[in-house]
Structure formats: structure tokens, C-alpha cells
Amino acid sequence: MVTTGELWTTLGSVMASVMFVSAIFKQYFPYQLWGYVEKYSQKLFRILYPYIEITFHEFSGDRLKRSEAFSAIQNYLSTTASLHATRFKADVVKDSQSIVLSMADRQEVTDEFKGIKVWWVLGKNIPKTQSFSFYPATDEKRYYRLTFHKSHRELITGPYVNHVLAGGKAITVKNRQRKLYSNNPSKNWYGWRSTKWSHVFFEHPATFDTLAMETKKKEEIKKDLKKFGEGKEYYEKIGKAWKRGYLLYGPPGTGKSTMIAAMANYMNYDVYDLELTTVKDNTELRSLLIDTSSKSILVIEDIDCSLDLTGQREKKKEKDEDKEKKNPIEKKEKEDGESEKSNVTLSGLLNFIDGLWSACGGERIIVFTTNYVDKLDPALIRRGRMDKHIEMPYCCFEAFKVLAKNYLDIDSHELYAEIEIMLAETNMTPADVAENLMPKCDEDDTETCLKNLIEALKAAKEEAIKKAEEEARLKAEEATKKAEEEVRSKAEKEEKEKHAKENETSSSSAKENGSIANGNENTSN
């Protein structure tokens, strides 16, 4: 009987012989012949090997976008792996209340579907060009490989794969924790674990119930958002990308950022906060858009301050060039800082909003905020780009009642009537109202906070009156100054005309005297 040691010795000898014959064959036989050998050996292997393999790569489209299938499979196998695998990767979700286990690299797990066994392996492609580094190569590509018997091809490639993808998406929704993203400078896009977007968990508590705004207006916005979220088939029918634009405008402190948080919580969307000043050019802007996920809100706050998008850039450039000719030192300083300046154009931003690339991914909301809507280029905020314009006004009485409920937990009070009158006469932002309603110590009760608000409203009213009077005084002074300048200008004009007439009269008299003198001289002669 053959012992285990003899068996391994024989197997090792056979493998060494195969490797030796293969090396000799490759070295001394033409490569065309070696191609035929590989071709027919693979055919023989397929005949003898009764299994089929399907590979799902992590990235698709030349690494432009992470594969949704890969993510769904990863989530689906997180439940299967916990039963069969021996090596795991752990992640914490849902406010640190639960742990999700997933497969480690090169780990194999089995799964069953209608009595049929399949095998999943998480693999990784290592780049061929090796270099010494303390960190893994950035172009490593992961993939899942599904293996099953070829007699079950139709059942596995159809119902089973659909079952895995549907199950993975359901787990994604269940364990999903929304995130707040911020774009990284392009110089940080490459390297170990580098990404275009960095994120933290989105935990803003704002909702439409706590938003200081008229109830009717809030309901209108909620209905609009709900209609959009349920409109996939409708947008496909009308041939339009599944996205919607919102323009939030109003004075500082009126709740534009809070509105965005309420929208994200209502729709259960991620938030991408795009800082335009760190984006070098239109190409980078497009790359950032591609790297965003569906079910998200893309936010550009204070867009009137982010970049010069008003169409005046060319005029400014011409003035700067004239200045540089006179001052070469300024020109050198400008050249040194040119690489840091954003070259995003209005055209690039418009294409970003509703061009061809805006259709990459679906169910996306784009939000612009501004304090001065009149400063924005009309092409940027027209309907179709910013579909709904929402004014965030000063605090009204209905908005005050929401804030009083939030901060003081009251629905009515005897001081409400006085506050209602004063809010109608005075402009105060919801942020200022909220600050006055917030108790500053344990001794501050409801009445104290409301009286603080009344005093603040009185002070704001007096300040507004003084400001109006000052503006009226300055306006009157300016009008008086202008009238005096007009009188002075008119007097100067009349004086000039008088001098001109006197000069003309003197000139005419001189000519006449000259003519008489000449006549007398001729007569005497």
C-alpha cells in the first residue's frame, strides 16, 4: 500500500516534470505552435472541468464608477459569510448599534439556492509592475467570482443572480447610514485609500416639523419632493434625467442650510457639499459628479461667492492684463498663484447641472443657495436647471410659533399677541428669534425668554428706524449736493456763455474799428 509520504513524493515529481517539459517546449518550439497547444488544452480543460465561473468586478467603465452589482453582492454575502467563513472584515452601522461582517480577501464561502450549491470567492488583481512601497498599489482591483456546475446554468445566471442582487439591495436599505460628503482637492485624489470625496455620518436632526416656515409652504415643498422621489417612470416617459434643482435664496440666517438638512432627512438621501473653489477646471467638476451616488442631494452653498460666474470674467481679465504691463511684479505673483486658482467656467457649471453628464446616476437633487439672487446669471437659475425657487424670508408669526414649540415646548402664551404685532413691523431672521428664545440658564423660564425676544424686537425696530432715518438723511444730503452741483454747473455754464458773448462783441468791435481806420487812411491818401 502506498504511504502518504510516497504519494506526495510522486506528485512532486510529476509536477516538476510537467514544469520542465513546459519550459523546454516554450524555449525550443515556435510561439505559434505554443498558441495552438494552449488553445486546445483549454478546450480539453473545459470538457473535463464541469464548472462555470462568473466574475463581478468592483469598478466598471474604466474605474469611473463603482459597480452596483459588486456592492449588492458584498451586502448579500455579509449574511452568508457570517455562517460559513472563517475570516471577516467588520464594520459598524446604525449609530454603532450593530456590526456587519463581510468576507475577507481571498475568502471562500458557499451558498445554496433551491438545493443547488454555489461558491463565492473575493479575489484581488495585483498589478504586474511591482515596486517597493509601504502601502498597497492604488490600482488593485477586487472582484467576486461565482462558481457553479454547468448543468444549472439557467437557474443560477437568472433567478439566483437576481435573488442575490435584490437581497443585497434590501440589506443596503436596512443598514444604510446617510453620509455628508465634502470634495477633496484633486492633488489628494491619488494614493493609499484616497478618494474624490471624504465623508462623515450625516446626523443633522432638522426636519420639516422643526423648520421655521409657514405650514402651507412646507407642505408644498414636501409634496414636490415626494412627487420627485416617486417619479422614476414619469421621468423616463418624458425623456428627462431623473434630477431636480432647487434654488434657496434669502438673507443670512433665514434657514437655508436647515432646509437642506430637512430635505435630506425627509428623502433619506446622502448630502454632497461641493466646494467649487477647490475644483481646478470643468473636467474635475465632471469627475466629481460621476463619483456621486444616486439618492443624494448635491449642494453648492453661497454660489454667488464661490466663483465669478456672472459673465464679467473677460472684462476683468483685460483690465488685469493692462495692469500687469505696468507692474511686472504683480504679473509674476499672479503666475505663481495661477495653479491654485479655479478655472471652472459658467459653461462648465451649466453642463454639470443639466448637460449630458448630469444623467449619470438617477434620483439626484441639486441645491444652490445664495443671499443675493440678483447677482446670479439668469442662465444659471432658469427653470429646467433650478426648477423650484424657494424664498427663505424673515421670521413671520407662524414660523415663530414653530420655534417657540421647539425651544420652549409651548403652543400659546399671553405675550403672543404683542410678538405677532412686532414681527409684522420688524425684520428679524429665524436664527435671531431662536437665539432669543433659547434659555441661557436654568432660571430662564418661558416668560423670560419671550420677554427677551420682545426686547430684541424693540431694539431691532429702533435700529431699523434709525437706519431708515440715516438713509433718508444721506439721500437728502445727496439730493441737496446734487442740486447744488447742478446750480453751480448751470452758473458756470452761464458765466462761460457770458464771457464768450463779451469776447465775441469785443472781437466784432475791433474788426469794425479796424475797418474804419483803414477807410480813413485810404481817403487821406
Side-chain angles (χ1 to χ4, degrees):
M1 184 175 180
V2 180
T3 63
T4 305
E6 292 174 346
L7 180 63
W8 281 109
T9 302
T10 304
L11 182 61
S13 300
V14 171
M15 291 178 65
S17 300
V18 170
M19 292 175 66
F20 176 76
V21 171
S22 175
I24 294 298
F25 194 89
K26 282 186 176 181
Q27 185 173 358
Y28 294 102
F29 287 82
Y31 70 90
Q32 295 91 342
L33 181 60
W34 178 246
Y36 281 110
V37 171
E38 282 188 339
K39 177 181 176 181
Y40 289 106
S41 62
Q42 288 176 4
K43 285 186 176 181
L44 179 62
F45 178 78
R46 284 197 295 269
I47 294 172
L48 299 177
Y49 186 71
Y51 294 97
I52 293 175
E53 294 179 349
I54 301 177
T55 302
F56 299 87
H57 291 280
E58 182 174 9
F59 290 95
S60 58
D62 194 23
R63 292 184 69 87
L64 285 177
K65 188 177 180 183
R66 196 168 191 262
S67 169
E68 293 184 4
F70 183 92
S71 301
I73 293 168
Q74 186 178 42
N75 291 323
Y76 173 82
L77 292 177
S78 66
T79 56
T80 306
S82 62
L83 300 176
H84 303 287
T86 56
R87 291 183 293 113
F88 304 97
K89 290 187 291 185
D91 194 14
V92 180
V93 298
K94 289 290 183 184
D95 302 325
S96 303
Q97 298 298 319
S98 60
I99 295 178
V100 174
L101 300 177
S102 58
M103 294 170 56
D105 293 341
R106 298 185 178 85
Q107 175 72 41
E108 179 182 284
V109 296
T110 57
D111 190 22
E112 284 193 11
F113 181 73
K114 295 184 178 181
I116 299 170
K117 185 176 286 189
V118 299
W119 295 265
W120 288 95
V121 176
L122 176 59
K124 182 163 53 177
N125 289 330
I126 306 297
K128 294 181 180 179
T129 55
Q130 300 292 334
S131 60
F132 176 77
S133 174
F134 290 104
Y135 306 109
T138 58
D139 55 350
E140 290 179 347
K141 299 178 181 179
R142 297 189 302 165
Y143 60 86
Y144 281 106
R145 178 175 289 136
L146 170 64
T147 305
F148 56 91
H149 198 278
K150 61 183 179 182
S151 61
H152 307 301
R153 177 194 292 265
E154 292 185 4
L155 183 63
I156 300 302
T157 56
Y160 175 69
V161 171
N162 292 334
H163 164 73
V164 170
L165 297 179
K169 290 178 180 178
I171 294 171
T172 301
V173 173
K174 179 182 176 182
N175 295 330
R176 184 169 181 260
Q177 188 166 16
R178 289 174 297 112
K179 298 172 183 177
L180 172 61
Y181 292 87
S182 178
N183 56 306
N184 297 319
S186 57
K187 63 183 179 181
N188 298 334
W189 288 4
Y190 311 100
W192 168 237
R193 296 293 187 189
S194 295
T195 58
K196 295 181 178 68
W197 297 91
S198 56
H199 73 269
V200 295
F201 292 126
F202 183 77
E203 298 174 342
H204 200 295
T207 64
F208 279 102
D209 292 334
T210 61
L211 185 65
M213 181 181 280
E214 296 176 3
T215 303
K216 183 179 179 182
K217 197 169 183 179
K218 287 194 288 188
E219 289 300 320
E220 178 187 336
I221 296 169
K222 286 167 66 176
K223 288 178 182 178
D224 189 84
L225 290 168
K226 184 180 180 182
K227 185 71 175 177
F228 168 78
E230 298 172 351
K232 183 178 180 181
E233 291 80 9
Y234 177 75
Y235 277 83
E236 288 178 356
K237 186 181 79 171
I238 63 176
K240 187 178 179 181
W242 192 13
K243 65 177 185 60
R244 189 157 177 79
Y246 290 82
L247 175 67
L248 308 182
Y249 65 95
T254 51
K256 294 183 286 293
S257 298
T258 306
M259 168 66 80
I260 295 169
M263 292 168 68
N265 286 325
Y266 182 75
M267 299 296 287
N268 198 27
Y269 282 4
D270 293 326
V271 178
Y272 288 84
D273 184 14
L274 178 60
E275 178 55 58
L276 280 179
T277 55
T278 64
V279 184
K280 284 187 177 180
D281 51 36
N282 297 335
T283 303
E284 285 190 5
L285 187 63
R286 189 162 55 241
S287 298
L288 287 167
L289 175 66
I290 294 170
D291 212 42
T292 59
S293 63
S294 300
K295 291 184 176 293
S296 61
I297 299 177
L298 182 64
V299 180
I300 304 179
E301 292 197 276
D302 296 322
I303 191 168
D304 54 302
C305 304
S306 297
L307 292 174
D308 181 13
L309 300 172
T310 60
Q312 303 298 322
R313 187 173 287 183
E314 291 299 324
K315 295 179 182 178
K316 188 177 178 183
K317 186 177 179 183
E318 291 174 4
K319 290 181 181 178
D320 290 345
E321 287 176 354
D322 294 338
K323 224 172 164 186
E324 287 164 8
K325 290 177 182 178
K326 298 176 182 178
N327 194 337
I329 296 176
E330 287 187 9
K331 182 178 181 181
K332 177 63 178 174
E333 289 176 353
K334 184 178 178 182
E335 288 174 354
D336 293 340
E338 193 69 29
S339 59
E340 301 297 327
K341 183 181 176 182
S342 174
N343 291 316
V344 174
T345 64
L346 177 60
S347 174
L349 187 59
L350 296 181
N351 289 328
F352 172 81
I353 298 170
D354 68 347
L356 294 175
W357 289 90
S358 67
C360 297
E363 199 171 355
R364 182 184 290 117
I365 292 174
I366 300 174
V367 178
F368 289 169
T369 72
T370 179
N371 297 332
Y372 308 101
V373 68
D374 296 335
K375 289 185 178 181
L376 298 180
D377 193 301
L380 186 64
I381 59 175
R382 67 161 175 80
R383 308 292 178 176
R385 289 180 177 139
M386 292 294 104
D387 303 286
K388 190 171 182 63
H389 296 190
I390 302 174
E391 182 181 6
M392 307 297 291
Y394 288 106
C395 189
C396 62
F397 182 65
E398 194 169 353
F400 156 75
K401 289 195 291 184
V402 175
L403 292 172
K405 179 66 176 176
N406 294 342
Y407 287 86
L408 303 176
D409 198 22
I410 58 173
D411 294 313
S412 63
H413 194 276
E414 58 185 10
L415 295 175
Y416 269 27
E418 184 178 355
I419 292 174
E420 182 177 8
I421 294 170
M422 298 197 70
L423 282 173
E425 299 173 346
T426 310
N427 287 336
M428 180 174 281
T429 65
D432 290 332
V433 172
E435 180 60 26
N436 285 287
L437 288 177
M438 181 180 291
K440 306 300 186 298
C441 61
D442 294 337
E443 288 75 20
D444 286 351
D445 56 10
T446 299
E447 188 168 348
T448 301
C449 295
L450 291 175
K451 286 182 178 179
N452 289 339
L453 175 60
I454 291 172
E455 292 300 319
L457 285 168
K458 288 179 180 178
K461 183 178 180 180
E462 291 176 1
E463 186 178 348
I465 293 172
K466 288 180 181 179
K467 188 177 179 181
E469 290 175 350
E470 181 67 17
E471 288 178 354
R473 184 182 65 80
L474 292 173
K475 192 174 181 181
E477 288 180 357
E478 187 178 348
T480 303
K481 189 176 179 181
K482 188 176 180 181
E484 289 175 353
E485 287 179 356
E486 288 178 355
V487 171
R488 190 183 303 113
S489 176
K490 186 177 180 181
E492 289 176 355
K493 186 178 179 182
E494 290 175 351
E495 187 69 22
K496 286 180 181 179
E497 290 176 353
K498 183 179 178 182
H499 283 301
K501 286 181 179 179
E502 289 176 353
N503 292 334
E504 186 179 348
T505 304
S506 300
S507 177
S508 300
S509 300
K511 286 181 181 179
E512 289 176 0
N513 293 333
S515 299
I516 294 169
N518 289 333
N520 294 332
E521 184 178 348
N522 292 331
T523 303
S524 62
N525 289 332

